[in-house]
Amino acid sequence: MPADSLFIQLPTDSPCVMIEFEGQPLAVPSGISVAAALLASGIRQTRRTAVSGAPRAPYCMMGVCFECLVEVNGVPNCQACMVTVSDGLKVRRQQGARALNALAEEGAHDGI
Amino acid sequence: MHKTQTTVIGGGLLGMATAYGLARLGQKVCVLDEGDTAFRASRGNFGLLWVQGKGYGMAPYARWTRQAVALWPELASLLLAETGIDVQLRQSGGFQLCLSEAELAEEVRRLQWLKDELGDYPFEVLRNAQLSQRLPGVGPAVVGACYSPMDGDVNPLKLLRALHQACQLQGVHLLSGDKVMGIEAGDNGFVVTAGEQQVRSEQLVLAAGLGNRELGAHLGHAIPLQPSRGQILVTERVEPFLSHPTSTVRQTDEGTVQLGDSAESVGFDDGTSTAVMADIADRAVRSFPRLGNVRLVRAWGALRVLTPDGFPIYQSLSKAPGAYLLSCHSGVTLAAIHALRLAPWIAGKIALPEVAAFALDRFNFAPEVRHAG
Ligand SMILES: Cc1cc2nc3c(=O)[nH]c(=O)nc-3n(C[C@H](O)[C@H](O)[C@H](O)COP(=O)(O)OP(=O)(O)OC[C@H]3O[C@@H](n4cnc5c(N)ncnc54)[C@H](O)[C@@H]3O)c2cc1C
Ligand code: FES
């Protein structure tokens, strides 16, 4: 999955945590956002848009543009730049619009 | 000084629809629009083409609204052909969801009044069980609904953009960013001043939303307009789940869901308030429980342009021959009739006896105040 990253990871003392992207394990520094972790790992596409299906990746990195939407631990449409990585976090691409029923019974938004 | 045949003040839905209609008839038109600091209902509305209930207490407005939606397919296809913009016209019929017996009874009473006045006025009253089959996903809190095949919706921002683009393609001159501060009426027409710009024209159309109060005063006319604030919430994009618009919950062509329909008298404050947003969200979730865990991504307030009786004003101004005053709520619903009938009337191309019902002088006799949805 990881390819050459366009970003250079500055030296850091932070310990690594393990997250998963589309089922592949990634070792990333703790304390950074999911969006930063994905970009630093060389991932070029993190979602497809709901309107045209175009591939997209994180852009503003500050919660404004909604380009970084991913599924985090089964919760759709999470802004990857607003979620901090933690051990075991499972991230998937947001493929278009989310389904409405997916979470109806669980009310699973609270965890994020 | 810029010279033109007709100056339109206001670049919202009413001004642009009128400018487009005039330009299609071959007129030279210049539109002056104040810009982002003005109150602009056309950028904050709900996008409904709503007929049911409109014109309760004033049958001519009910007829006008029906005529407007009948013209909508023509406007949508003109805009598509000229600009390539699909404004997402959907005339599928719409539902007014009622969350109590009292709400339903009141709605039915109004629609029955309209049916008695107009004769042909199609609507159905559905109880929850029938409604659930027609509109899957409605919650048990919805007592019933009125359905009317006359209702529909569009994407109102695409509409505004399409009108702007179509106007420019038709040669309309658009000057934006300056507020009109002065109007001089003389024997040779009008001179309008906005910032450094001056425009001279034979005809003048005031279509400046709430700004019409001030502009009317320049020409010696008191224009009774008041703001009424509506707040709107918008959700994240979800897969299509709602096949028809309702008056409080509407899924847009791009997947977001708009929730709204509040009305407050708070003067010229177009902000939002927690209590009203909570009410809107609560009503939406009771209407469609599946919305319960959908994220909200945006909220805003916008000011309706309301006359004392809630109906439009279309008036050729007696103290300034050649000047027309246009004000309306429901400028989305009425966009097609403004472009395709009102503009030809202003251009002197057609007689339009219907507009007599929307004269300014009706307020000298009936200063009744009510909200007209
Ligand atoms: C919350 C809300 C929901 C709504 N929902 C619906 C709906 O579902 N369906 C529907 O049909 N209608 C709806 N409406 C109503 C609809 O939005 C309005 O009727 C319509 O936008 C009015 O258009 P307008 O051009 O008259 O006014 P505006 O959009 O207010 O435009 C007036 C323009 O005039 C300009 N202006 C003002 N003063 C001056 C000046 N002195 N000089 C130069 N320019 C000036 C401003 O810049 C502005 O662009 C809603 C309105 C609101 C607020
Ligand atoms: S990158 Fe813009 S909102 Fe996350």
Side-chain angles (χ1 to χ4, degrees):
Chain A
M1 177 77 42
D4 286 344
S5 173
L6 300 172
F7 296 82
I8 297 165
Q9 174 68 56
L10 296 175
T12 167
D13 296 336
S14 319
C16 271
V17 296
M18 295 301 293
I19 67 169
E20 259 181 36
F21 182 68
E22 295 289 343
Q24 302 286 320
L26 299 175
V28 299
S30 62
I32 67 174
S33 72
V34 170
L38 296 179
L39 291 174
S41 306
I43 288 153
R44 301 284 177 87
Q45 183 208 330
T46 55
R47 71 165 184 135
R48 278 192 184 282
T49 68
V51 177
S52 67
R56 294 288 167 84
Y59 179 60
C60 74
M61 303 299 278
M62 58 180 197
V64 175
C65 70
F66 288 75
E67 290 294 13
C68 61
L69 297 179
V70 289
E71 204 180 285
V72 177
N73 289 342
V75 181
N77 279 347
C78 294
Q79 287 169 283
C81 69
M82 304 306 280
V83 179
T84 305
V85 293
S86 60
D87 243 333
L89 208 71
K90 291 186 172 50
V91 183
R92 290 192 166 276
R93 293 194 173 94
Q94 179 66 43
Q95 303 285 10
R98 64 166 278 195
L100 244 199
N101 299 350
L103 297 165
E105 293 86 43
E106 301 160 35
H109 268 189
D110 308 345
I112 299 284
Chain B
M1 179 165 340
H2 187 82
K3 289 201 182 65
T4 190
Q5 197 170 354
T6 301
T7 300
V8 176
I9 307 179
L13 287 171
L14 183 50
M16 294 316 281
T18 307
Y20 174 60
L22 292 172
R24 286 187 74 236
L25 296 168
Q27 282 213 2
K28 276 184 68 185
V29 182
C30 178
V31 176
L32 294 163
D33 191 45
E34 175 173 349
D36 287 340
T37 52
F39 294 108
R40 298 166 120 183
S42 302
R43 284 161 170 80
N45 67 69
F46 206 67
L48 295 171
L49 306 186
W50 209 249
V51 178
Q52 64 168 296
K54 291 278 177 69
Y56 171 72
M58 200 221 211
Y61 184 55
R63 289 194 196 92
W64 183 248
T65 303
R66 288 198 71 183
Q67 226 184 313
V69 298
L71 287 167
W72 244 104
E74 186 181 341
L75 177 65
S77 52
L78 281 170
L79 292 174
L80 180 63
E82 291 179 30
T83 68
I85 298 171
D86 180 349
V87 300
Q88 300 291 327
L89 172 65
R90 173 171 70 164
Q91 292 182 291
S92 54
F95 294 86
Q96 167 92 33
L97 305 181
C98 298
L99 271 59
S100 71
E101 291 293 344
E103 268 180 35
L104 185 60
E106 174 60 13
E107 197 54 29
V108 172
R109 189 180 70 78
R110 286 170 171 252
L111 295 184
Q112 193 55 52
W113 184 91
L114 284 156
K115 197 181 184 76
D116 293 343
E117 285 291 313
L118 273 73
D120 164 43
Y121 197 80
F123 72 92
E124 289 172 72
V125 182
L126 306 164
R127 307 297 306 189
N128 181 286
Q130 292 163 288
L131 179 63
S132 304
Q133 292 180 357
R134 298 271 289 273
L135 204 59
V138 289
V142 181
V143 171
C146 293
Y147 168 80
S148 155
M150 306 178 286
D151 299 324
D153 60 353
V154 293
N155 182 317
L157 293 177
K158 288 184 181 171
L159 169 62
L160 186 62
R161 186 167 148 245
L163 284 170
H164 271 259
Q165 202 161 315
C167 274
Q168 278 167 322
L169 289 167
Q170 293 277 354
V172 172
H173 199 71
L174 181 66
L175 297 171
S176 44
D178 285 312
K179 180 175 177 174
V180 170
M181 300 297 282
I183 304 175
E184 273 171 56
D187 293 341
N188 302 324
F190 303 90
V191 176
V192 173
T193 309
E196 306 284 288
Q197 316 269 4
Q198 284 210 313
V199 182
R200 177 187 291 283
S201 61
E202 295 151 34
Q203 273 196 323
L204 178 65
V205 174
L206 308 185
L210 289 165
N212 269 353
R213 296 205 309 188
E214 229 174 282
L215 297 175
H218 284 301
L219 296 173
H221 287 271
I223 315 297
L225 294 174
Q226 287 298 333
S228 155
R229 181 170 75 182
Q231 299 188 33
I232 291 180
L233 310 180
V234 174
T235 73
E236 62 184 321
R237 298 189 202 283
V238 299
E239 279 174 4
F241 80 102
L242 193 53
S243 53
H244 295 69
T246 77
S247 58
T248 48
V249 178
R250 178 179 95 82
Q251 187 168 26
T252 71
D253 54 299
E254 297 189 338
T256 57
V257 186
Q258 287 200 327
L259 320 174
D261 201 28
S262 63
E264 302 164 88
S265 293
V266 289
F268 287 86
D269 172 359
D270 65 355
T272 53
S273 70
T274 312
V276 171
M277 289 193 290
D279 268 358
I280 292 172
D282 175 61
R283 195 178 167 101
V285 171
R286 282 192 292 147
S287 300
F288 297 98
R290 281 190 284 179
L291 291 173
N293 64 10
V294 169
R295 258 175 248 266
L296 295 172
V297 295
R298 266 188 293 286
W300 65 77
L303 301 180
R304 297 184 186 85
V305 184
L306 277 191
T307 55
D309 60 11
F311 306 120
I313 305 171
Y314 306 124
Q315 178 72 57
S316 154
L317 293 178
S318 57
K319 294 179 185 161
Y324 291 79
L325 180 104
L326 313 180
S327 277
C328 75
H329 179 53
S330 301
V332 183
T333 309
L334 300 173
I337 204 163
H338 291 155
L340 303 173
R341 292 290 180 275
L342 196 67
W345 171 71
I346 290 171
K349 302 276 186 202
I350 60 169
L352 203 59
E354 298 96 304
V355 299
F358 308 112
L360 185 54
D361 66 7
R362 73 182 187 272
F363 300 110
N364 301 340
F365 309 108
E368 180 203 356
V369 176
R370 54 181 286 274
H371 170 67

